Amino acid sequence: MTLLELKEGDTAVISRVSGGKGISARMAGLGLHAGKKIRVVRAAPFRGPLLIEDISSGARAMIGRGIASHVEILDEKR
Amino acid sequence: MWKSLTKSDNTEIVIALAGQPNCGKSTIFNAVAGFKVNTGNFSGTTVSYAETQVYIGGRTVRLIDLPGTYSISAIDVAERVARDYLLSGQVDVIINVVDASLLSRSLELTLQLMEMNVPMVIALNMIDDAQKKGMEIDIKALTSLTGLEAYPLIAVQGSGVHELFDAALRVSENGFRRVPPVYDRDVEECIARIEARYPSLLRERLKVDTRFVIIRLLEMDEEFERIVAEVDREFLEYVIENRRSLAEVHDWPESGVFASHRHALVLDLFEQVVSVKSRSGMGLSEKIDRFIINPVGGLAATVGVFFLMFAVSFWFGNLIAGLVEAPLESLGVFLMSHTSGYTAMLVSGVYDGFTAGVGIVLPYLVPLLVILSLLEDTGLLPRIAFMADGLLHRFGLHGKSVVPIIMGYGCNVPAIMAARNLEYERDRIITMLMVPFIACSARTVIILALAGKYLGAGYTTLIYLGNIAIALGVSSVLSRLSEDMSPGIIMDVPPLRKPYLHVVMRKVWVRIQEFLLFAWPVIAISSIALAVFSYVGIDEVINRVLSPITTFILDLPSELGITLFLGIFRKELTLIMLNSALNTADVSTVLSSVQLLVLVVFTALYIPCIATISTLWKEGGWKVALLSIALNTTIALVVAGSLAFLL
């Protein structure tokens, strides 16, 4: 299951970031490593990015849908 | 291991501010150096390094403000600037600035910097934000675990900055206690194996710590791999072999295995240093944020911001321009009646330049700059990026281009440089070519002062909307020409922050100073030059050369040739020289409404100014610069020419 399949308000744990070194390095830079518990705060209109919150730190980042499809997660629902 | 770096007192100490984006490096820099660099609440405000000389405690310090970088393996151009500087071996002390409220993420870079084995202190900036989040940071524990002194500070208020720099100087004199991060046993064994075979030739070639180099290689750092391959191919293969087996043992991709070990260390360190109590309730900024990230609220905020930007500039500009008009006019009459001959020519040149600055440019410029500063400081830019990303995809861009685009309304030069934050070359070049279509403050002054004054608010709005449509059209066509696909956006969304009045005022003042010190003299000199030109007759030559464009395509008086020519140097000049070129105090008596519209549209779009062209050249190469000139001029001729033909 990937990040893309989550809905607003859902929480999940990142299990793996695929899709090349650039993407995983950028995700890691923002603190979004495997094992991190995240929440989808909002999905932007017009198939825009997802606003993700790192639950432990409260930090937020936006991730485009193309990249979100490379982020594998373990679903936790709400 | 103790490292002593004692230096004699007369040498300059180089202190570099390094840290992740948006942690407040530039704010600290400004607190020490006076307001010298721009700041903002979004990742990537600084894209090139700035330096200044300051005297602290009787010592000469060269202070370097580096662009933010998430990690030492730089991904975009701005990060590369930071990395290259850090690796250049010039830095005596690193001040690792961290956003204390994001300590766990920030420590990833801290550990990488520690591996470089350069004296370092930690600046725990925005400590108030961390406290609001209920975080309690045990600074003593942090120091004993890392060997690094750490100081809490709130840089925007200037608190804690003194103590921080005292410590940095102390570390530069007394050396520091090196506590390199220690990894799992098998990782350490791997490093030791490689270190035993480390070629001495490489030690001479790379003047950085050997353990650091090995770790870079284990992290698949392409640049280090290239250098090592040049020096000792066999050694590189040995490293790769070790890296592969490490990845296999831990069942991780080769590129991520080392980072995952470091991440484990960071988590461990974070847990030992930070305790989190329950956080306080939702603050006002979070409530505003919840409204803005809603589709409806976000759209309202985005449209509202643009409306405010131009409506306030227009209204305020008209108000002030109207107020100063009469006094300036009587000053002019007074000057003219008291001078004659050559003196009169000179005085009238200076007077025209002065009037243009006070009466036309500043009234519209100041409100625009205030609003742009507010946009930067509050953190609205990333939110607009979030809302606009989906739409921008249809035009071949993505949300990250929002920052350069909006900055472009101030000045195209920093906007083109801001494209350094885009990770992919394709996105960067499209954005760089699109920015010159954005009506910068100089062109906004022209639009507001001509279209706003003579054609009304409706036409002015249409001109802006048309301008945006053309810019989006250009990027849409360019993106279709490129075969690469943009993978999309990953971008930090910092919390909304209350803007500080003193910061906004300083930022606006610095930009006005640029106008006063740089642009105004150019305007004054051009005014005099124009007076001389017309005396000698050079202006007629230029007018005649440009007349196919002015009279034939644009249906404008040929006298405007010289003003459009001067506009290449500073866009404001087109407006400022208008009156003297047409020899009138009221251009609407000479130009028809259609001609005014054509003139405004043409100046908004045609060839970028010299400063923009040279920035494009530096940032993208001569091809990008030439392409931009061709694109802008062609589109300006086609659009303004069709308007002249059709209306």
Side-chain angles (χ1 to χ4, degrees):
Chain A
M1 187 170 185
T2 72
L3 192 55
L4 204 53
E5 293 161 62
L6 293 180
K7 292 188 180 60
E8 288 182 0
D10 287 354
T11 59
V13 173
I14 297 176
S15 61
R16 199 181 186 99
V17 181
S18 58
K21 204 175 146 195
I23 289 174
S24 56
R26 212 14 130 226
M27 292 281 290
L30 289 165
L32 299 168
H33 300 264
K36 192 104 275 170
K37 196 169 171 185
I38 50 113
R39 183 168 71 92
V40 177
V41 181
R42 187 76 61 197
F46 311 112
R47 291 190 45 78
L50 305 172
L51 184 63
I52 301 297
E53 184 175 88
D54 170 349
I55 289 177
S56 62
S57 74
R60 289 176 172 186
M62 63 181 103
I63 297 173
R65 286 173 199 249
I67 292 169
S69 69
H70 290 293
V71 180
E72 289 165 38
I73 48 150
L74 302 168
D75 189 15
E76 280 200 358
K77 286 290 173 203
R78 342 185 36 172
Chain B
M1 186 169 81
W2 286 80
K3 190 174 176 182
S4 167
L5 266 179
T6 321
K7 285 192 164 188
S8 62
D9 266 14
N10 50 15
T11 50
E12 182 182 63
I13 300 168
V14 179
I15 300 180
L17 295 160
Q20 294 191 326
N22 209 33
C23 66
K25 295 171 292 298
S26 298
T27 305
I28 296 178
F29 184 85
N30 284 343
V32 177
F35 201 98
K36 285 210 174 149
V37 292
N38 196 28
T39 53
N41 182 21
F42 58 95
S43 293
T45 316
T46 310
V47 290
S48 64
Y49 74 84
E51 60 182 353
T52 187
Q53 218 177 40
V54 284
Y55 301 95
I56 305 171
R59 303 290 307 264
T60 312
V61 171
R62 189 145 59 93
L63 183 62
I64 316 289
D65 181 32
L66 295 175
T69 181
Y70 288 108
S71 77
I72 213 90
S73 2
I75 299 174
D76 59 49
V77 181
E79 287 189 318
R80 182 152 289 275
V81 173
R83 167 192 159 110
D84 287 349
Y85 201 96
L86 287 170
L87 295 180
S88 69
Q90 302 176 58
V91 182
D92 295 315
V93 183
I94 296 173
I95 292 181
N96 172 215
V97 185
V98 306
D99 176 347
S101 69
L102 296 173
L103 189 62
S104 73
R105 177 181 108 185
S106 313
L107 285 172
E108 305 270 352
L109 177 67
T110 305
L111 258 64
Q112 293 177 40
L113 293 173
M114 282 164 70
E115 278 153 4
M116 289 179 63
N117 192 20
V118 173
M120 185 160 103
V121 288
I122 298 178
L124 295 165
N125 193 22
M126 298 186 248
I127 197 77
D128 50 339
D129 277 8
Q131 281 157 355
K132 265 184 226 150
K133 271 187 175 176
M135 286 169 70
E136 214 166 85
I137 301 172
D138 184 346
I139 294 177
K140 272 189 192 147
L142 181 62
T143 299
S144 79
L145 290 166
T146 59
L148 303 172
E149 289 187 48
Y151 290 85
L153 66 163
I154 308 171
V156 72
Q157 296 170 4
S159 80
V161 177
H162 263 289
E163 293 81 351
L164 176 71
F165 278 86
D166 285 346
L169 284 180
R170 215 166 41 238
V171 168
S172 84
E173 274 162 29
N174 306 337
F176 76 122
R177 184 168 62 93
R178 189 187 189 192
V179 184
V182 178
Y183 295 92
D184 285 350
R185 218 179 76 193
D186 59 336
V187 179
E188 286 297 336
E189 279 168 6
C190 173
I191 295 175
R193 270 200 306 279
I194 297 169
E195 203 159 16
R197 287 224 203 164
Y198 199 87
S200 55
L201 219 59
L202 196 57
R203 204 162 282 151
E204 281 162 33
R205 169 81 191 267
L206 290 167
K207 301 249 182 275
V208 276
D209 189 75
T210 52
R211 185 182 160 91
F212 175 73
V213 175
I214 294 166
I215 292 173
R216 294 315 313 144
L217 293 172
L218 288 176
E219 290 202 66
M220 292 179 92
D221 188 307
E222 281 158 20
E223 208 173 313
F224 277 95
E225 280 186 2
R226 190 177 49 76
I227 295 169
V228 173
E230 279 168 24
V231 176
D232 192 334
R233 178 97 238 162
E234 237 172 82
F235 173 68
L236 179 64
E237 261 146 37
Y238 182 69
V239 174
I240 292 171
E241 200 180 292
N242 274 280
R243 184 170 72 198
R244 269 199 201 122
S245 62
L246 198 65
E248 269 164 32
V249 171
H250 292 271
D251 191 27
W252 265 91
E254 214 177 319
S255 61
V257 63
F258 201 92
S260 76
H261 277 91
R262 183 184 297 114
H263 181 56
L265 280 191
V266 166
L267 283 182
D268 191 43
L269 179 61
F270 181 75
E271 269 165 27
Q272 291 185 65
V273 170
V274 176
S275 54
V276 183
K277 296 179 297 187
S278 68
R279 50 176 314 181
S280 47
M282 199 172 21
L284 177 67
S285 71
E286 279 166 86
K287 281 183 191 149
I288 298 173
D289 203 6
R290 267 181 54 159
F291 173 72
I292 293 176
I293 57 170
N294 266 311
V296 177
L299 195 68
T302 309
V303 173
V305 158
F306 274 90
F307 177 75
L308 209 74
M309 196 151 88
F310 301 114
V312 171
S313 303
F314 178 57
W315 172 78
F316 188 84
N318 275 354
L319 184 78
I320 300 297
L323 283 179
V324 296
E325 202 178 348
L328 284 173
E329 229 162 76
S330 36
L331 175 70
V333 172
F334 173 81
L335 288 174
M336 287 311 116
S337 62
H338 284 78
T339 50
S340 61
Y342 287 115
T343 340
M345 199 173 75
L346 224 103
V347 168
S348 103
V350 173
Y351 168 79
D352 283 347
F354 176 77
T355 319
V358 179
I360 308 175
V361 179
L362 285 179
Y364 296 102
L365 187 64
V366 175
L368 185 71
L369 292 180
V370 170
I371 293 167
L372 279 172
S373 301
L374 287 173
L375 262 180
E376 287 176 347
D377 286 7
T378 49
L380 272 173
L381 284 182
R383 284 160 179 83
I384 295 176
F386 177 70
M387 299 309 300
D389 180 77
L391 267 181
L392 285 177
H393 268 287
R394 281 159 213 212
F395 300 100
L397 289 171
H398 63 65
K400 237 177 183 174
S401 299
V402 159
V403 175
I405 291 170
I406 291 183
M407 284 175 86
Y409 281 105
C411 176
N412 286 180
V413 170
I416 289 163
M417 293 185 67
R420 290 184 177 190
N421 288 312
L422 294 156
E423 291 92 344
Y424 301 94
E425 196 64 10
R426 163 202 183 277
D427 298 345
R428 208 164 75 85
I429 288 175
I430 293 174
T431 306
M432 281 196 285
L433 287 170
M434 182 189 176
V435 165
F437 285 94
I438 302 290
C440 64
S441 61
R443 283 176 279 170
T444 291
V445 170
I446 299 174
I447 295 173
L448 295 181
L450 286 180
K453 191 166 168 188
Y454 298 113
L455 303 174
Y459 273 100
T460 312
T461 314
L462 272 180
I463 290 172
Y464 269 109
L465 292 178
N467 182 247
I468 294 171
I470 288 168
L472 289 175
V474 166
S475 84
S476 175
V477 171
L478 287 174
S479 69
R480 253 152 231 166
L481 294 177
S482 145
E483 283 174 9
D484 301 341
M485 275 285 291
S486 170
I489 193 169
I490 310 184
M491 191 177 172
D492 197 11
V493 183
L496 284 177
R497 293 203 169 96
K498 171 185 88 189
Y500 282 83
L501 186 66
H502 73 272
V503 177
V504 172
M505 278 171 50
R506 289 304 291 270
K507 283 169 74 156
V508 172
W509 174 235
V510 166
R511 288 171 185 175
I512 290 173
Q513 257 181 330
E514 276 165 19
F515 175 76
L516 294 180
L517 295 176
F518 180 70
W520 213 349
V522 174
I523 290 170
I525 290 167
S526 306
S527 307
I528 298 167
L530 188 67
V532 176
F533 279 5
S534 58
Y535 192 75
V536 190
I538 299 178
D539 60 336
E540 275 181 33
V541 178
I542 295 175
N543 285 344
R544 206 167 307 145
V545 171
L546 292 177
S547 68
I549 291 175
T550 44
T551 55
F552 183 68
I553 301 180
L554 302 176
D555 195 21
L556 295 171
S558 68
E559 286 85 356
L560 291 182
I562 182 82
T563 66
L564 291 172
F565 172 73
L566 288 170
I568 302 172
F569 299 92
R570 292 280 316 181
K571 294 281 174 177
E572 294 99 337
L573 286 173
T574 304
L575 172 68
I576 290 160
M577 298 301 145
L578 210 53
N579 289 355
S580 40
L582 293 173
N583 205 8
T584 174
D586 182 357
V587 288
S588 65
T589 58
V590 181
L591 298 177
S592 70
S593 306
V594 174
Q595 284 179 315
L596 271 167
L597 179 69
V598 170
L599 176 65
V600 172
V601 169
F602 187 73
T603 27
L605 297 172
Y606 83 128
I607 185 168
C609 72
I610 294 273
T612 305
I613 294 171
S614 74
T615 309
L616 281 167
W617 195 304
K618 264 189 290 188
E619 298 290 305
W622 62 272
K623 278 187 193 160
V624 171
L626 288 184
L627 188 56
S628 174
I629 293 173
L631 260 176
N632 273 74
T633 310
T634 314
I635 290 175
L637 284 172
V638 169
V639 175
S642 332
L643 283 175
F645 182 74
L646 294 172
L647 296 177

